[in-house]
Amino acid sequence: MALSGDERLAPGGADGRIFASPLARRLAKEGGLDLSALKGSGPHGRIIERDVKSALGSGARPVATASSAPVIEAPVGMSDAVVRQLFAPGSFTEIPHDSMRKAIARRMVEAVRTIPHFALQTDCEIDALLRLREDYNSAAPKSANGEPEWKVSVNDIIVKAMALALQKVPDANVTFTQTAMLKHTSSDVGVAVSIPGGLVTPIVRNAETKNFREIAIELKDLARRARERKLKPNEYEGGTTAVSNLGMFGVKNFAAVINPPHATILAVGAGEERIVARNGAPVVATIMSVTLSVDHRAVDGALGAILLAEFKRLIEHPAAMLA
């Protein structure tokens, strides 16, 4: 059942969040006041200055404990009511957020607010990769219905290259926590899959150990079950990095938002023919632009650049991934 705006934002709601103004939070902290015990009188039930002062003036001193819900500052954007007033009545249709869209919004806000992003971009020449892919697919045996048993995409090869790059640059195959850096032994690569109403990131576990065919078959199955919403939590939770490919939509380049607990995400654009200089002469080559978004708490600039350079080397010399 959809909740009203007041129910969604009320202190101590179903999701355990408490919404309070920055000043109210500061006053409560100074006064040792547990905000979860208060009822907000501000917009949408937000706890504001007068609520805290009233509680403190009455002598209430419920002290926050370790089990108390965290205090989260209310969003500073326009309220729903203000946004609706900007558009003429009847000029739009309201589509309530489903649980997936709410989860995506919550995680993306968390990522942008808590992860210090920076982006590194490079261009990869993929003519050798395209030739290898064509030869690899042509070697696929036919099944009983005459169809090839596998068909490897460029994205499958990108997943493999990212997994191997992290093995070559293990200091970048990490997850940041407040007390320690988690350095992973395997490359578990998430792949963004668009589904009705949002997206999900199923994970290819131990991708560095799998060949192109195995990755292609696994990703095809994961994507199908993702669209049917039949994935198990362990198939989309965790992972050490992710790949988001919008090349099939003609997007040339973009920067993706890191999906916690990952420290990196690779955004892949379309391969296109461009004129490049080679030995002082112009030639036509197929170029793919990629952008690596990095959590600066876990991976410094130079380390991120080394990782991206290793990925580029593997993509431009794809036969090395078959060794």
Side-chain angles (χ1 to χ4, degrees):
M1 180 176 68
L3 299 178
S4 69
D6 287 347
E7 289 171 320
R8 284 196 303 268
L9 297 179
D15 57 7
R17 295 184 296 170
I18 299 173
F19 290 86
S21 70
L23 178 57
R25 286 197 304 153
R26 181 171 63 80
L27 292 174
K29 183 178 180 180
E30 292 174 353
L33 185 65
D34 184 357
L35 286 176
S36 65
L38 301 186
K39 182 177 180 180
S41 63
H44 304 297
R46 185 187 188 192
I47 298 171
I48 56 178
E49 178 186 5
R50 67 167 173 260
D51 301 320
V52 177
K53 287 185 175 179
S54 176
L56 293 175
S58 67
R61 288 293 190 279
V63 179
T65 65
S67 61
S68 297
V71 177
I72 298 179
E73 181 181 343
V76 296
M78 291 185 289
S79 69
D80 290 0
V82 170
V83 172
R84 289 186 179 92
Q85 290 173 2
L86 298 175
F87 304 96
S91 67
F92 57 86
T93 300
E94 291 198 33
I95 304 172
H97 299 310
D98 60 14
S99 58
M100 175 174 292
R101 180 51 58 187
K102 290 178 181 177
I104 291 171
R106 184 172 60 250
R107 289 182 64 82
M108 291 302 97
V109 169
E110 174 192 353
V112 172
R113 291 178 63 179
T114 64
I115 298 176
H117 286 63
F118 73 93
L120 302 166
Q121 186 178 81
T122 193
D123 291 334
C124 303
E125 187 174 326
I126 61 170
D127 291 292
L129 183 152
L130 295 176
R131 289 192 297 269
L132 177 68
R133 172 179 173 264
E134 183 178 358
D135 289 344
Y136 193 88
N137 284 337
S138 66
K142 298 295 191 294
S143 59
N145 62 5
E147 295 294 323
E149 291 187 3
W150 72 75
K151 186 176 182 181
V152 171
S153 69
V154 170
N155 203 53
D156 300 326
I157 300 174
I158 289 170
V159 169
K160 174 73 172 182
M162 190 63 181
L164 290 177
L166 286 171
Q167 292 296 303
K168 286 286 188 178
V169 190
D171 287 344
N173 194 26
V174 295
T175 293
F176 179 88
T177 74
Q178 296 300 322
T179 57
M181 198 75 74
L182 310 184
K183 191 171 183 179
H184 305 289
T185 55
S186 63
S187 299
D188 297 336
V189 183
V191 180
V193 174
S194 177
I195 63 175
L199 61 86
V200 68
T201 310
I203 299 165
V204 180
R205 305 282 178 184
N206 303 296
E208 77 280 4
T209 68
K210 298 173 180 175
N211 58 39
F212 299 151
R213 175 183 60 83
E214 291 169 326
I215 292 174
I217 293 172
E218 183 173 343
L219 270 180
K220 183 178 180 179
D221 174 65
L222 287 169
R224 175 184 59 80
R225 290 191 290 113
R227 295 186 180 100
E228 296 172 353
R229 302 200 177 193
K230 293 182 178 179
L231 290 178
K232 300 174 183 177
N234 67 296
E235 292 178 311
Y236 59 83
E237 293 179 346
T240 63
T241 191
V243 170
S244 181
N245 191 339
L246 293 179
M248 67 286 291
F249 299 106
V251 175
K252 184 174 180 179
N253 58 65
F254 68 104
V257 177
I258 296 169
N259 186 27
H262 305 163
T264 57
I265 185 171
L266 186 74
V268 182
E272 60 180 7
E273 290 188 341
R274 302 182 200 172
I275 297 176
V276 300
R278 185 172 297 153
N279 298 323
V283 297
V284 176
T286 307
I287 304 296
M288 177 181 74
S289 294
V290 297
T291 304
L292 183 71
S293 295
V294 178
D295 181 347
H296 212 324
R297 300 171 303 172
V299 179
D300 295 326
L303 182 59
I306 293 170
L307 175 63
L308 190 59
E310 180 60 25
F311 172 83
K312 175 181 171 74
R313 184 189 71 81
L314 289 164
I315 287 294
E316 295 187 342
H317 302 88
M321 289 186 274
L322 300 175

